[in-house]
Amino acid sequence: MPTRRALGAAALSLLAAPALRAQGAWPNRPVRLLVGFPPGGFTDVVARAIAEQYTAILGQSFVVENRSGASGTIAADAVAKAPADGSVLLLGHSTPNAVSAALFSNLPFDPQKDLTAVAQLAVHPHLLVVPAASPFRTTADLITAAKARPGAISFCSAGIGSVHHTACAMLAQKAGVEFTHVPYRGSGPAMADLIAGRVDMTIEGINTVGPLIEDGKLRPLAAGTLARISRLPNLTTLQEQGYGDIDAQSWVGIFGPAGLPAAIVARLGTASDQAMGAPAFQRILTTGGSIPANRRGADFQAFLALEIERYKAVLGDGKIAL
């Protein structure tokens, strides 16, 4: 006859079986994918494109939910405080997930400890642009005007502490001028006012400004990255123009709450690899001028730590006033 211990073990295994099946069946209900910026910007576009791919690959709905504000940190904080069961994920961005950690001491979450890095999806090169009707034909024209009228030249960004904000602040520091910052709740509304001439300039991702340049609404003055941008190979960099080693670029990727089960991280990583190979998703990235990224799991987590330290080196020494 079976011993009492054997019967107890069998009973426990029966109780555990549904939980194991449920865990293995992830996702077994719709998954919310939070985005820290409003509809219309490239982060939102990537979120909707990857959600469509995940839905097809994983057989469950992935629903994009925009929670804009505070440079993307509202959405990141919501995911950091969500259950670690894969029901809520974040389309993270370098601003809330890296820049904010270097810039703000009072964040309600720790980007490294309270979030699980799952899959980096794309890197976006940035460039310096002005409205098509701007009188500034070169970066030198812009800097000359800024020196003549301190604070009169304005720039827009997707929010305080955003990559665009820090890049423009770095340019001001390198050039020895003063710009006026006009923050917005995302790149979409910022671009609308830039095109209209309500602000003078910005340093923004090519995925956002590329189509506007092609449509004749914006004029590029310089590549904000250390290397020239393949989509505009004749556009010289700010470094080539004599404004120092500015390297303005941003990235997006999938994050979950801390403690996200390894099995879910692995499945999302595999699904991300499949999504990156889909022609529809590839078109989204290449049309926007973005560079596909393949960091997954621990590799992405290690990259995040390096990014935070890189921004701390720029912002934490007091050289850049924001």
Side-chain angles (χ1 to χ4, degrees):
M1 291 182 63
T3 66
R4 182 177 296 178
R5 178 176 294 179
L7 288 170
L12 286 173
S13 67
L14 287 172
L15 288 171
L20 290 173
R21 284 197 297 271
Q23 186 179 27
W26 182 90
N28 55 8
R29 54 177 166 152
V31 177
R32 295 159 59 208
L33 181 60
L34 271 58
V35 181
F37 303 95
F42 195 71
T43 304
D44 177 71
V45 172
V46 172
R48 295 179 189 280
I50 197 67
E52 182 178 349
Q53 293 298 321
Y54 285 161
T55 297
I57 293 166
L58 296 170
Q60 187 58 263
S61 296
F62 281 71
V63 182
V64 174
E65 181 179 321
N66 297 87
R67 289 201 188 181
S68 62
S71 298
T73 59
I74 291 174
D77 182 47
V79 174
K81 292 176 170 57
D85 58 5
S87 62
V88 183
L89 301 172
L90 173 72
L91 196 288
H93 185 278
S94 47
T95 292
N97 291 85
V99 179
S100 294
L103 188 60
F104 303 116
S105 60
N106 60 342
L107 279 181
F109 68 99
D110 185 318
Q112 294 187 82
K113 295 178 181 179
D114 297 334
L115 292 168
T116 299
V118 176
Q120 190 182 32
L121 301 176
V123 175
H124 314 317
H126 285 53
L127 59 159
L128 172 63
V129 293
V130 295
S134 171
F136 308 126
R137 310 296 300 186
T138 66
T139 307
D141 291 342
L142 179 72
I143 298 303
T144 298
K147 286 182 177 179
R149 297 179 295 148
I153 303 299
S154 61
F155 70 90
C156 58
S157 80
I160 295 172
S162 64
V163 172
H164 327 106
H165 181 190
T166 57
C168 289
M170 287 179 67
L171 174 59
Q173 189 269 333
K174 299 286 187 183
V177 298
E178 178 186 341
F179 297 140
T180 295
H181 180 209
V182 184
Y184 291 79
R185 291 173 65 94
S187 292
M191 289 303 100
D193 273 10
L194 180 64
I195 292 168
R198 298 186 185 96
V199 287
D200 296 305
M201 55 161 278
T202 194
I203 296 177
E204 172 63 91
I206 191 172
N207 34 67
T208 297
V209 300
L212 300 174
I213 292 170
E214 292 170 0
D215 289 344
K217 296 177 180 178
L218 294 178
R219 178 188 305 135
L221 300 185
T225 46
L226 294 178
R228 293 194 186 188
I229 298 170
S230 60
R231 187 167 170 179
L232 295 168
N234 295 324
L235 185 66
T236 55
T237 68
L238 286 170
Q239 186 179 52
E240 288 178 297
Q241 294 180 20
Y243 298 104
D245 56 347
I246 297 172
D247 190 12
Q249 58 181 342
S250 58
W251 47 261
V252 293
I254 300 295
F255 291 80
L260 192 66
I264 294 179
V265 174
R267 193 162 191 211
L268 270 170
T270 300
S272 299
D273 290 339
Q274 290 179 253
M276 300 282 285
F281 192 76
Q282 290 178 352
R283 279 195 297 273
I284 292 290
L285 296 187
T286 56
T287 299
S290 297
I291 303 166
N294 58 6
R295 294 183 178 92
R296 304 287 181 261
D299 187 29
F300 189 20
Q301 194 81 41
F303 168 80
L304 175 65
L306 291 175
E307 277 286 273
I308 291 172
E309 290 306 311
R310 181 170 77 88
Y311 280 110
K312 282 182 178 178
V314 173
L315 303 172
D317 60 7
K319 290 182 180 178
I320 305 298
L322 298 180

